[in-house]
Amino acid sequence: MRQKLARVLGGVAIGALVFSGAACKADSGSDAGGSKAACDLKIGFFGPLTGDAAGLGIHMRNGTKLAIDQYNKDNADCKVQIAEYDSQGDPAKAPALAQQAVGDSKVVGIIGPAFSGESEVADPIFDEAGLPIITPSATRPSLSTKNWKIFHRGVGNDTSQGPAAGRYIKNVLKAEKVYVVDDQSAYGAGLVDEVKKVLGSVAGEDKIQVKQTNFSAVVTKIQSSGANVLFFGGYYTEAGLLLKQLKGAGWKGTMVAGDGVNDANFIKVAGEQVAEGTILTCPCAPATAAKGSFVTDYKAAFDNAEPGTYADVSYDITKIMLEGIKAGKGTRADLLSFINSYNGTGGATGVTYKFEANGELDPAQVLVWAFKVNAGKVVPDIEIPKS
């Protein structure tokens, strides 16, 4: 990597210019305009890599890592690093990690935060530092109402996922009685609120806590309500334990849950027989049916593992940042401007990424799928109609 020497006066170096992206430049050789790629930069991934929700975060991180590894293969003299910020999905850990990211001048963009709760406390820190983010998965609608200049969302929010789940319950399952439970997280509670807007009256509702393991009280309430469908707003560990105890008590109904449960680890927690038939929604298409060579490349890079929920989204939004870096956008401010004006199609998702002024994805690009647990796997069911 080439570096410019500081000018020397009287044998004393008077300084080297460092900007917020801390990059050198190298000829990209990729366009007639002679743009220069920014070098020696980092893209951060912010989300759970350990802990109860790690199954969701790891696939997203892998999508980001795959995009960066491919970029580095093609740009061996001007590489980009991945910086990992393992939040464990815990909002209490997020502020310190966000401060760590903004304190590293080489970090010019963040993929994440992955969850809504951690976004609520980390994004103000990113905004103050002017560090652009694109979240692949934080779906709480209010995140785009905070006037954060750095905020972008690569999927639809829960005003699309929640109503779609409600329509599936009404029109496909034709449920007579629905009970709703949330984990009191920013994501889970918000998703349940959106589902209830479509369902209208419900047979009952209750709340649990993240990391709760004994659900006997709520199991009794669900059984007593006569509900044949349970909608759960939260993450896969609590969902799996709740369903296991509910089925163990003799309940014969169907659980429906959102993207926070849409992971193979849900089946491990609940057990294959218990999880069978569960419906899981996502404002995303099946990653296992992604376009181009993404699935093949992902499996080759990660021990033949199938790409999980949002792996393809993370891949595509990371490539947006890499495209900016390739075009010489080596400061946080320049990369933010590049993302704000971006209009291009993702190679894995096929989505046209174009962001509104509040950072939301163009509504025309938003879709919601239902997935079903079948024979020990989460498989695509249907794309849920918008009305």
Side-chain angles (χ1 to χ4, degrees):
M1 187 177 303
R2 297 180 179 177
Q3 297 180 330
K4 293 184 178 180
L5 295 177
R7 185 181 176 187
V8 177
L9 280 178
V12 179
I14 64 172
L17 182 61
V18 180
F19 57 86
S20 65
C24 65
K25 301 276 187 171
D27 290 335
S28 68
S30 61
D31 60 78
S35 67
K36 296 178 181 296
C39 305
D40 196 27
L41 299 179
K42 299 177 184 178
I43 293 174
F45 174 82
F46 194 113
L49 299 175
T50 60
D52 290 343
L56 293 165
I58 288 170
H59 284 291
M60 290 184 253
R61 185 278 312 275
N62 287 353
T64 290
K65 187 176 186 301
L66 178 61
I68 291 174
D69 286 348
Q70 291 177 342
Y71 178 90
N72 288 341
K73 184 178 180 180
D74 293 337
N75 299 273
D77 61 340
C78 190
K79 292 182 177 182
V80 173
Q81 298 178 56
I82 184 172
E84 297 181 1
Y85 302 98
D86 178 12
S87 67
Q88 298 183 357
D90 184 353
K93 298 183 185 301
L97 288 171
Q99 292 288 2
Q100 182 182 337
V102 302
D104 185 344
S105 62
K106 292 186 178 183
V107 176
V108 292
I110 295 286
I111 302 301
F115 292 171
S116 296
E118 60 190 16
S119 297
E120 289 185 328
V121 292
D123 287 1
I125 297 170
F126 294 139
D127 190 60
E128 184 176 357
L131 179 57
I133 68 164
I134 312 177
T135 177
S137 55
T139 53
R140 187 172 177 83
S142 61
L143 295 177
S144 64
T145 68
K146 310 292 188 180
N147 296 316
W148 294 326
K149 300 178 294 297
I150 49 78
F151 178 80
H152 306 85
R153 185 167 10 222
V155 294
N157 65 40
D158 287 337
T159 60
S160 58
Q161 180 178 204
R167 291 193 298 273
Y168 188 98
I169 290 169
K170 290 180 68 173
N171 301 333
V172 179
L173 297 181
K174 301 188 183 301
E176 296 178 2
K177 291 185 176 182
V178 183
Y179 201 98
V180 297
V181 175
D182 73 72
D183 66 354
Q184 302 184 66
S185 69
Y187 157 71
L191 182 58
V192 163
D193 286 344
E194 296 299 330
V195 171
K196 288 194 297 182
K197 290 177 183 178
V198 172
L199 295 179
S201 61
V202 294
E205 56 186 300
D206 205 351
K207 295 182 180 295
I208 64 160
Q209 294 182 338
V210 175
K211 297 188 181 299
Q212 184 173 333
T213 57
N214 186 330
F215 300 101
S216 57
V218 69
V219 164
T220 298
K221 293 177 183 178
I222 295 169
Q223 287 182 300
S224 299
S225 73
N228 61 336
V229 168
L230 165 65
F231 183 84
F232 178 76
Y235 297 99
Y236 64 75
T237 298
E238 290 78 19
L241 291 173
L242 172 57
L243 185 60
K244 188 173 185 177
Q245 293 173 34
L246 194 53
K247 294 285 189 177
W251 189 65
K252 304 297 183 184
T254 301
M255 174 183 273
V256 180
D259 52 326
V261 183
N262 195 337
D263 187 84
N265 283 292
F266 165 71
I267 302 171
K268 293 180 181 179
V269 175
E272 186 173 324
Q273 288 186 326
V274 169
E276 185 75 9
T278 300
I279 302 299
L280 307 171
T281 62
C282 183
C284 62
T288 52
K291 300 181 183 302
S293 63
F294 173 76
V295 175
T296 300
D297 293 345
Y298 186 98
K299 293 174 74 172
F302 302 110
D303 297 324
N304 207 37
E306 294 279 358
T309 304
Y310 295 129
D312 52 340
V313 178
S314 292
Y315 176 85
D316 277 350
I317 61 178
T318 302
K319 294 195 79 169
I320 294 174
M321 291 191 180
L322 291 169
E323 190 175 327
I325 290 170
K326 181 75 171 177
K329 312 305 180 184
T331 68
R332 294 171 178 177
D334 285 349
L335 188 58
L336 177 59
S337 296
F338 181 86
I339 296 168
N340 286 342
S341 62
Y342 191 82
N343 186 348
T345 301
T349 62
V351 168
T352 298
Y353 289 98
K354 180 181 179 183
F355 300 102
E356 305 211 304
N358 62 358
E360 292 284 10
L361 185 65
D362 179 0
Q365 301 302 315
V366 173
L367 47 78
V368 181
W369 271 75
F371 297 76
K372 192 171 189 175
V373 177
N374 181 35
K377 292 185 177 182
V378 179
V379 298
D381 186 19
I382 62 168
E383 182 177 347
I384 303 174
K386 293 186 177 181
S387 61

